[in-house]
């Protein structure tokens, strides 16, 4: 089995991952054969972008494709793959969290093709920089996915389901949770009649620093300095924001424990 | 009083803020007259950079400067300014958190000159993009600081001590806390024998998104989707990481409350 045999790709799903991965394959010179989407309008839109036919009927998905890219919600993986028991090609899901075994047991060739990135409909990611994590049930299919991923990106890693799950958790912290921090900053600055734009250079520089040094070396702020006056004053201000107060306590506690062997409750 | 009268600037402090602000003034064509640093070696190094003499004796600080930039630790502001009761120039601190009144009462002209950015010794920030927050006891000095800040940056905001304190708290969330999230991701990925570099494209894209859209629109992840299976599985993995577990709980609770009117403990 080599890459030459991936001629027919079916994209299942019309969300952000399906759209961006479908476009990446399209741009890399692969021809996408078909798009499936539950919602015909969304399927039509993505199919137009990828220059191919679409269907919103599971029963009409081609049986003879080489690769099925199942980019759907985690809890739809089992159901949709269960409807595809007549296919012979390799079926992969794109979830960071789900094991290969989330794919229905009647599918003979299954795997995972997980790009570690946060996707939007309207922002074009630089695919060559996105790490791909691949996994399959056998060596031939693993190599196939590896080679395929290298057509899109320069970073491809074989990983077990368990490794990928922990990686996905790390991604929740650096992506979803750092965005939540931005959102909390937004809430605080808005309630003070100032504009969120004022925080943007700081957000950019904080991320840039993390790209260049170990984040523990880049850590600054009152908890890092163990500056009790500031910590107590912040606690005071945050009494009006109970949710933020609880986040403040837990993150400050993490930093105080790590750098000063003390905790927030000891203040 | 106009900007022409700022001819003699004394930089007090040799830390990251003193170094970067001193260099910014130097680069903008101001001549720094003197550097003070408790540590003579650090003072000599910064003075060499700024082409000026230095002292490590508080009693030797020039009395006739137009502007004293007090870029020292918050808890040194009162003590150091107390030693400068013979000066006539404007003395400003650079703290986001401290009120103007942190400066010793015997100083007649006092203010705040706060650049909202995280500074490093070895990264040159783009000053024109950094928002400056200025405050002084009277209109003339406020205008002076405003004009001075506009020589370095295109964003200058007058703010009260109270506003600045809340702004500083917002900065703790978007900067110190998002960096802590990177650090937690680092801890998780390292314990899984994977490289932190794998998370960097995600960190960059997450920050880039926040520069272009409201962070509440950019929020993704299991808590945003109210995906209980993933949340429960993460809770399971995090049992080995009690500190991360508590941060996970508080941030997830914030997101669940905001988007789904439910909480983490209800899972």
């Amino acid at each position: 089995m080599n890459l030459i045999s991936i001629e027919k790709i079916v994209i299942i799903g019309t969300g952000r991952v399906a759209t961006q991965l479908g476009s990446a394959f399209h741009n890399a010179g692969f021809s996408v054969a078909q798009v499936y989407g539950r919602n015909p309008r969304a399927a039509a839109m993505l199919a137009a972008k990828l220059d191919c036919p679409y269907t919103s009927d599971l029963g009409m998905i081609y049986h003879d494709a080489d690769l099925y890219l199942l980019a759907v919600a985690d809890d739809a993986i089992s159901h949709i793959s269960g409807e595809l028991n007549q296919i012979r090609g390799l079926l992969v899901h794109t979830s960071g969290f789900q094991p290969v075994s989330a794919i229905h047991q009647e599918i003979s060739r299954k795997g995972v093709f997980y790009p570690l990135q946060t996707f939007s409909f309207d922002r074009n990611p630089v695919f060559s920089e996105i790490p791909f994590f691949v996994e399959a049930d056998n060596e031939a299919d693993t190599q196939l996915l590896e080679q395929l991923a290298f057509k899109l990106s320069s970073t491809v890693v074989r990983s077990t389901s368990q490794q990928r799950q922990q990686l996905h958790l790390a991604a929740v912290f650096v992506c979803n949770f750092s965005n939540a921090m931005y959102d909390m900053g937004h809430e605080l600055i808005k309630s003070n009649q100032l504009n969120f734009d004022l925080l943007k250079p700081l957000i950019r520089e904080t991320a840039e620093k993390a790209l260049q040094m170990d984040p523990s070396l880049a850590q600054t702020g009152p908890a890092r300095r163990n500056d009790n006056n500031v910590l107590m004053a912040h606690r005071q201000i945050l009494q009006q924001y109970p949710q933020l107060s609880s986040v403040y306590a837990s993150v400050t506690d993490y930093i105080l424990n790590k750098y000063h062997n003390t905790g927030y409750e000891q203040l």
Side-chain angles (χ1 to χ4, degrees), chain A residues 26-62:
Chain A
H26 191 65
N27 297 340
F30 289 88
S31 73
V32 175
Q34 186 186 35
V35 165
Y36 163 83
R38 201 175 37 183
N39 174 338
R41 191 177 140 77
M45 277 176 64
L46 180 53
K49 202 166 176 174
L50 304 179
D51 261 331
C52 70
Y54 70 92
T55 178
S56 55
D57 177 351
L58 275 176
M60 296 295 284
I61 292 178
Y62 298 156

Side-chain angles (χ1 to χ4, degrees), chain A residues 38-179:
Chain A
R38 201 175 37 183
N39 174 338
R41 191 177 140 77
M45 277 176 64
L46 180 53
K49 202 166 176 174
L50 304 179
D51 261 331
C52 70
Y54 70 92
T55 178
S56 55
D57 177 351
L58 275 176
M60 296 295 284
I61 292 178
Y62 298 156
H63 288 170
D64 61 344
D66 303 304
L67 182 76
Y68 296 83
L69 204 77
L70 191 56
V72 297
D74 281 10
D75 58 9
I77 293 173
S78 168
H79 162 67
I80 295 182
S81 58
E83 298 287 316
L84 298 173
N85 54 3
Q86 295 183 45
I87 66 167
R88 296 229 184 98
L90 176 56
L91 186 145
V92 295
H93 72 63
T94 59
S95 163
F97 176 76
Q98 295 295 330
V100 183
S101 60
I103 295 169
H104 199 278
Q105 58 184 11
E106 287 199 25
I107 300 296
S108 57
R109 291 174 56 210
K110 42 186 174 286
V112 179
F113 194 75
Y114 172 56
L116 179 59
Q117 187 52 287
T118 175
F119 293 105
S120 317
F121 282 107
D122 55 349
R123 289 177 51 83
N124 293 325
V126 182
F127 264 89
S128 61
E129 293 172 0
I130 298 176
F132 276 76
F133 295 83
V134 300
E135 181 180 3
D137 279 343
N138 60 63
E139 178 61 22
D141 283 342
T142 308
Q143 284 199 22
L144 185 68
L145 291 175
E146 219 169 10
Q147 289 178 52
L148 193 66
F150 271 123
K151 294 284 176 185
L152 306 182
S153 167
S154 56
T155 307
V156 180
V157 181
R158 289 175 176 224
S159 72
T160 63
S161 289
Q162 201 195 339
Q163 264 187 319
R164 200 178 54 254
Q165 205 173 62
Q166 195 143 345
L167 181 82
H168 174 255
L169 178 55
V172 166
F173 277 88
V174 307
C175 170
N176 306 148
F177 285 5
S178 64
N179 187 74

Side-chain angles (χ1 to χ4, degrees), chain A residues 205-215 217-218:
Chain A
E205 174 67 8
T206 302
E208 286 296 323
K209 263 192 182 177
L211 304 180
Q212 294 189 11
M213 59 175 100
D214 184 318
L217 299 176

Side-chain angles (χ1 to χ4, degrees), chain A residues 10-29:
Chain A
V10 171
I11 306 279
I12 301 171
T14 57
R16 289 171 300 191
V17 177
T19 300
Q20 295 293 0
L21 267 184
S23 304
F25 277 119
H26 191 65
N27 297 340

